Amino acid sequence: MSPLARFTAWAGLAILVAVAVLAPILLDGPAGRIDPANALLPPGGGHPLGTDELGRDVLARVLVATRLSLGISVTATALGVALGVLVGALPAVVGRRAARLIGAGVNLAVAFPALLLALFVAAITGGGVYGSTLVIALALAPVFARLTQTLAASVQGAEYVAAARLLGVGRARLLLRHVVPNVAGPILVTAMIGISGALIVLSGLSFLGLGVQSPDVDWGVLLNQALNRMYTNPAYALAPAAAVVVGGLVFSLVGDALAVTLGLQPPPPRRGGRTPRRAAAVGDPGGALVHAERLAVTVPLPNGADVRAVRDVTFTVAPGERVGVVGESGCGKTMTALAVAGLTGPEARIGADRLEVLGEPLPPGGRGAGRRLRRTLGTSLAFVFQDPLGSFNPVSRIGGQLAEVAVVHAGLTRRDALRRAVTRLADVRIADPERVARRYPHELSGGMLQRGMIAMGLMNRPRLIVADEPTTALDVTVQREVLALLDRVCGETGAGLLLISHDLAVVAQTCERVLVMYAGRIVEDLPVAALTTGPAHPYTRVLLASVVDMATDRSRPLAAIPGRPPDATADPPGCAFAPRCPRAAGRCATELPELIPVGDGHRAACWHPIGDTA
Amino acid sequence: MATPTAAPSRGRYLARRVLRLLVSLWIVLTLSFLMVHLIPGDPARASLGLTAPQELVESRRAELGLDRPLPVQYLTYLGDLARGDLGVSFTSRLPVSRLIGERILATLHLAGLALVVVLIAGVAAGLLATVVAHSGRHRGTDLAFSGGSGVLVAMPEFVTAVGLVAAFGVTLRWLPVAGLAGPDSYLLPVLALASGPAAALARIVRAEGLRVLDLEYIRTARAKRLTRSRLYLRHALPNCLTATLTVAGLTLSSLVAGTVLIENVFAWPGLGSAIVSSITQKDYPLTQGLILVLSGIVLLVNFAVDLLIMAVDPRSALGEV
């Protein structure tokens, strides 16, 4: 909600209140003076909206009616809120069985249209000012009962309430001191919106002749009288109609504004522009599966700052090669994987001197991929995501989700594709694949789903498999199986692998080469074998030291890396690891080290590499 | 490793919904029975007016069965209802069931047609708005959609109706504004009834669509390199449906209530115009019957929506046990 909308809300409220208070005092004359000689005049002269059937000024009548319309709406809402809160809070004080009964009753009443409830009550009370107030209060109460119930339930589960209960605070006191203050905000906001609902129901009832009765006048009564004079003075009807709409809008706006003021709703995020910083240059398609030069990914934050998730990353993946990317969370490894697969979200900005996958240049941002590129990526690049349950569409069956790939890209019929899906599920060692293919994602375990995700990648012939933390969400025993499966699949198909993990042990077990990332940059690129013989970058050393295995000496504290990774929105001049680095000295804090060769197939970005072999 | 088959939980979900429907129907029945008893003072006197002779009041008391003990009245009421007997209208002296039978189709046609318009227009506009908002381009179109739909949602249906009458009936004189005669007399009432709910639905579809498009399985679908239309229609849309249908269900029941207002604006010969006149004329048997039927329609609609949600979203049966 913009500041302007908030200002409009409060200004609108002030004007409405002023009109409700002043109009009956100042405009009693023109609104009440009966002058049959000037009946049903069109707008003009002394009457901006014309006159009614008795010659009274329409505008004055509409303004004077504000008091009754708003008065009843506000009073009725207050009554409805009080009643609703009372009923809604009851389950907290009565026994469990009574509470369930009340809950069920409230649920039933909420599903019932307020107007129908109001008609029912109106049939009993017969309208009038007081009758209508009661009718609307009763019709609104269920909404607030339900809201109170929901809020109270969430508050009751909160820790501070549990603590108060442990201290022996009584039920009534608990309700008054702990529950009520915490539910008051949302209820106040909803009450404002409730007033606009009350206004609409009241106007509807009065319009039908079941609410306020003449000679009392509210907007609904005026609208009813005007409808019959529509052909002689249309402006007569439009004035009260507009009043109802404006009144309703103002109170909903006030509700929204109040929510922002009370801090119940964050102001909506602004989506940043997404013009690419630099288009990816087209180059000759070398033999590499991935060829990235000076790749950068920037994601705008709602507050306007930019997160520079990936900065100047250069690397290649050769055909059949298995490359691991490791680093702490937030180091940019997942963004790198997504950028390579052309799967970053629409808000991310991608720039690169060169970004080619499977020999094809990627368009910036992964958008507007042409038909040919889509087919190449769809058939030859498989992506395995971190959270297997979240990554399957919850409303369609596993078999269908696998088959879709072959239907879309290989032109198979649905039946053939489903048959292939079952075969692939069997290939990833899923028992009873035909039954599993008919299951929905939520009916399967995480390990099963991750196998299914790998099987999905195998539906066509992948040349590159990108796996983003494929085992993080799984149990340890299942982790080993999934890694072994990835290993076997790569071996059998000859596909290359880009494995993203925060776990150096996982990468060492599966890959040939490791890229170590820190603060959006590759700080070291080394063969897995070199991990044991000696990494050159101090960061890789500490990362290695924090790996826990059976040989770890448990009598000593676990190795942890002191300090925290730098703010991803900041852009310090020197090496990003310098503040945490034991070897930092001299230019480390002021000059950025380039990623340069330090050995055979070994690169590092460090001013003081360990065991300087170059 | 698969969890037990889904069939039993679906069966249980269904059983719960049927139970809820029956209990609700019973509550509505009982409330409509109690209506006459809740009227302050003597309902027979109230319906006849202060000047009516005492013997007339006594005979009406007998007609309403008020001279018998309450439990007997309740059982008689339920028994009559089972035979489809809703009593006799005070004003027309005709059976209430017959009066309702004559008018129910007009209301159902109106509400049904409005529903079709709401679903088609609401979902289509919502999807378009989702695509526009997600692309991040066309900020102006997105803002126009939010503003325009917001105003439509805020307009009560009877105000829309009055506006439409003023514009098309009075000023342009293109369309009939009263009664049911020929297909063109449907146009304004349906439009008045449908515009608000359609706008509300479109807003929900847009909000849900944008939420769903940020989820992980949509990334999976993008990783499959599907066409945009397949991505939106096959993967995103079905996942918006649960929330959409829930809201559509609530809209639908308010649509039934909305017919009451709309019918009175357009002099539509349906249940809604009948209920208002029955209340003002204190024709209690007719009011009772009409409230019963309108509430029954609302309950059945809610039940149907629950079933639909179960069919569309296999998870709903699990969450609700």
Side-chain angles (χ1 to χ4, degrees):
Chain A
M1 194 171 196
S2 64
L4 181 68
R6 257 178 289 170
F7 175 77
T8 314
W10 295 118
L13 183 66
I15 293 172
L16 272 185
V17 170
V19 169
V21 172
L22 297 178
I25 303 169
L26 300 177
L27 296 171
D28 209 28
R33 193 184 310 122
I34 293 173
D35 180 9
N38 285 322
L40 292 169
L41 290 180
H47 306 290
L49 293 174
T51 58
D52 71 357
E53 62 279 7
L54 294 175
R56 293 171 288 196
D57 183 71
V58 167
L59 181 62
R61 294 198 80 198
V62 170
L63 291 179
V64 169
T66 308
R67 180 182 283 186
L68 196 57
S69 279
L70 293 191
I72 294 180
S73 303
V74 172
T75 316
T77 307
L79 281 176
V81 170
L83 188 65
V85 168
L86 208 66
V87 173
L90 270 183
V93 249
V94 298
R96 179 167 296 182
R97 188 164 286 192
R100 283 186 69 169
L101 209 64
I102 294 171
V106 168
N107 274 341
L108 279 182
V110 166
F112 225 70
L115 184 72
L116 222 49
L117 281 179
L119 279 179
F120 177 76
V121 185
I124 295 170
T125 62
V129 171
Y130 297 105
S132 312
T133 311
L134 187 65
V135 164
I136 293 164
L138 289 175
L140 283 183
V143 176
F144 291 95
R146 156 93 110 196
L147 182 65
T148 310
Q149 248 172 27
T150 317
L151 291 171
S154 69
V155 170
Q156 288 220 308
E159 280 163 20
Y160 57 87
V161 171
R165 199 172 280 153
L166 274 179
L167 291 173
V169 176
R171 270 183 175 177
R173 195 183 155 78
L174 198 69
L175 205 63
L176 277 177
R177 295 296 297 275
H178 294 275
V179 180
V180 170
N182 285 294
V183 304
I187 286 181
L188 200 61
V189 169
T190 316
M192 285 302 140
I193 297 160
I195 294 178
S196 95
L199 184 64
I200 286 167
V201 173
L202 170 72
S203 306
L205 277 179
S206 298
F207 176 71
L208 293 174
L210 301 173
V212 173
Q213 314 271 339
S214 206
D216 292 325
V217 172
D218 74 343
W219 290 334
V221 170
L222 284 176
L223 195 58
N224 184 350
Q225 292 172 358
L227 189 62
N228 299 321
R229 318 285 171 205
M230 189 68 108
Y231 285 88
T232 35
N233 182 6
Y236 183 2
L238 295 184
V244 173
V245 174
V246 169
L249 270 179
V250 164
F251 280 102
S252 340
L253 275 179
V254 167
D256 291 348
L258 203 59
V260 175
T261 310
L262 293 177
L264 299 174
Q265 254 171 32
R270 253 178 297 164
R271 300 188 89 136
R274 51 183 58 95
T275 37
R277 195 182 60 172
R278 219 184 300 157
V282 183
D284 57 313
L289 293 176
V290 178
H291 193 137
E293 270 174 38
R294 296 178 67 82
L295 171 69
V297 183
T298 309
V299 184
L301 285 181
N303 65 16
D306 279 341
V307 172
R308 300 185 56 201
V310 179
R311 316 174 187 207
D312 288 335
V313 162
T314 299
F315 71 101
T316 55
V317 178
E321 193 185 15
R322 299 171 196 185
V323 176
V325 183
V326 293
E328 290 165 278
S329 36
C331 73
K333 53 193 192 302
T334 292
M335 263 306 163
T336 305
L338 289 175
V340 160
L343 290 175
T344 45
E347 63 281 350
R349 299 196 297 266
I350 296 185
D353 285 353
R354 181 168 171 178
L355 180 57
E356 288 164 23
V357 177
L358 303 165
E360 306 264 358
L362 283 186
R367 302 234 113 208
R371 235 182 121 72
R372 202 170 70 95
L373 178 60
R374 261 213 323 267
R375 167 150 307 179
T376 308
L377 295 177
T379 52
S380 311
L381 190 149
F383 207 109
V384 181
F385 294 98
Q386 174 170 355
D387 171 19
L389 181 56
S391 297
F392 273 98
N393 189 332
V395 302
S396 39
R397 297 172 202 275
I398 300 291
Q401 298 195 45
L402 262 65
E404 186 176 30
V405 184
V407 171
V408 171
H409 295 296
L412 260 61
T413 64
R414 198 172 157 73
R415 177 189 293 254
D416 289 343
L418 273 173
R419 203 171 294 142
R420 187 189 281 187
V422 171
T423 319
R424 293 297 182 264
L425 285 173
D427 288 347
V428 296
R429 306 256 164 92
I430 283 183
D432 201 356
E434 296 195 4
R435 213 171 68 107
V436 170
R438 285 194 300 270
R439 290 269 173 265
Y440 287 101
H442 68 268
E443 297 172 328
L444 299 177
S445 69
M448 236 37 148
L449 287 171
Q450 203 56 299
R451 287 163 181 275
M453 186 59 72
I454 294 171
M456 187 187 285
L458 296 179
M459 284 301 288
N460 295 308
R461 275 206 84 73
R463 285 191 282 145
L464 173 64
I465 299 175
V466 182
D468 180 16
E469 304 261 11
T471 58
T472 307
L474 305 176
D475 289 341
V476 179
T477 46
V478 185
Q479 280 184 16
R480 298 179 63 95
E481 291 171 18
V482 168
L483 283 179
L485 176 64
L486 270 177
D487 191 48
R488 188 168 62 82
V489 161
C490 288
E492 284 172 10
T493 60
L497 176 69
L498 189 63
L499 176 67
I500 315 298
S501 180
H502 65 276
D503 189 344
L504 206 51
V506 163
V507 167
Q509 188 185 330
T510 325
C511 299
E512 297 149 7
R513 196 151 65 86
V514 188
L515 303 175
V516 182
M517 284 189 75
Y518 188 80
R521 294 178 202 276
I522 295 180
V523 294
E524 186 160 13
D525 169 1
L526 71 169
V528 161
L531 274 178
T532 42
T533 57
H537 201 285
Y539 178 64
T540 315
R541 282 274 164 115
V542 280
L543 211 56
L544 200 60
S546 65
V547 172
V548 181
D549 59 23
M550 295 303 283
T552 305
D553 182 357
R554 299 199 179 194
S555 61
R556 293 174 53 194
L558 276 175
I561 308 171
R564 302 171 59 78
D567 181 4
T569 56
D571 200 7
C575 169
F577 188 60
R580 299 167 79 185
C581 183
R583 297 165 70 92
R587 54 184 170 171
C588 285
T590 51
E591 269 180 81
L592 186 69
E594 286 281 322
L595 189 62
I596 47 165
V598 291
D600 194 19
H602 191 167
R603 297 182 299 163
C606 183
W607 293 122
H608 308 289
I610 302 162
D612 211 332
T613 50
Chain B
M1 264 174 261
T3 49
T5 52
S9 67
R10 277 199 174 201
R12 212 158 67 199
Y13 176 83
L14 194 66
R16 275 175 171 273
R17 291 295 131 144
V18 172
L19 185 72
R20 183 194 278 192
L21 175 69
L22 292 178
V23 170
S24 317
L25 279 176
W26 173 71
I27 291 176
V28 165
L29 280 179
T30 309
L31 279 179
S32 103
F33 163 76
L34 286 175
M35 190 192 94
V36 174
H37 298 267
L38 289 171
I39 291 167
D42 180 0
R45 172 60 75 186
S47 74
L48 288 164
L50 288 175
T51 54
Q54 187 58 35
E55 51 275 29
L56 200 58
V57 174
E58 288 305 324
S59 83
R60 177 148 290 183
R61 281 185 66 81
E63 188 185 333
L64 283 169
L66 293 174
D67 48 355
R68 284 175 295 167
L70 201 63
V72 177
Q73 287 182 46
Y74 187 50
L75 288 179
T76 320
Y77 171 80
L78 289 183
D80 287 348
L81 213 58
R83 282 181 279 113
D85 179 1
L86 293 167
V88 175
S89 157
F90 289 164
T91 44
S92 66
R93 308 311 302 176
L94 289 169
V96 169
S97 49
R98 193 170 128 201
L99 290 172
I100 290 177
E102 283 167 3
R103 289 171 161 268
I104 192 165
L105 279 183
T107 295
L108 288 182
H109 284 161
L110 184 58
L113 217 60
L115 174 68
V116 172
V117 172
V118 167
L119 288 182
I120 294 176
V123 171
L127 277 179
L128 277 180
T130 310
V131 175
V132 166
H134 193 68
S135 74
R137 284 159 262 164
H138 320 294
R139 294 263 311 152
T141 319
D142 192 33
L143 278 177
F145 170 82
S146 296
S149 63
V151 169
L152 280 183
V153 170
M155 294 262 278
E157 54 274 78
F158 60 97
V159 170
T160 317
V162 169
L164 287 174
V165 167
F168 293 99
V170 177
T171 310
L172 297 170
R173 295 182 190 258
W174 284 351
L175 292 163
V177 294
L180 165 52
D184 56 348
S185 54
Y186 276 96
L187 219 60
L188 291 185
V190 167
L191 203 57
L193 201 50
S195 69
L201 190 62
R203 287 172 77 93
I204 299 291
V205 170
R206 175 179 173 276
E208 270 296 294
L210 288 178
R211 182 185 69 79
V212 166
L213 283 177
D214 275 344
L215 292 180
E216 285 167 333
Y217 55 81
I218 293 299
R219 205 170 53 182
T220 310
R222 283 172 54 211
K224 289 183 191 171
R225 319 292 160 174
L226 309 177
T227 56
R228 298 259 307 260
S229 59
R230 199 177 170 101
L231 184 70
Y232 287 126
L233 294 179
R234 286 289 188 82
H235 288 268
L237 181 61
N239 286 290
C240 307
L241 280 182
T242 307
T244 307
L245 277 175
T246 310
V247 175
L250 288 176
T251 328
L252 189 55
S253 42
S254 72
L255 214 75
V256 175
T259 57
V260 175
L261 286 155
I262 294 301
E263 288 185 9
N264 279 281
V265 175
F266 293 99
W268 198 258
L271 301 178
S273 48
I275 195 169
V276 171
S277 58
S278 81
I279 292 175
T280 44
Q281 292 167 353
K282 302 200 188 300
D283 189 345
Y284 299 134
L286 187 54
T287 308
Q288 273 180 317
L290 285 165
I291 287 216
L292 199 59
V293 170
L294 284 173
S295 314
I297 294 176
V298 168
L299 291 177
L300 284 175
V301 163
N302 290 347
F303 178 67
V305 170
D306 280 345
L307 292 193
L308 253 179
I309 290 174
M310 187 180 84
V312 172
D313 190 340
R315 289 166 305 172
S316 64
L318 290 179
E320 277 275 347
V321 178

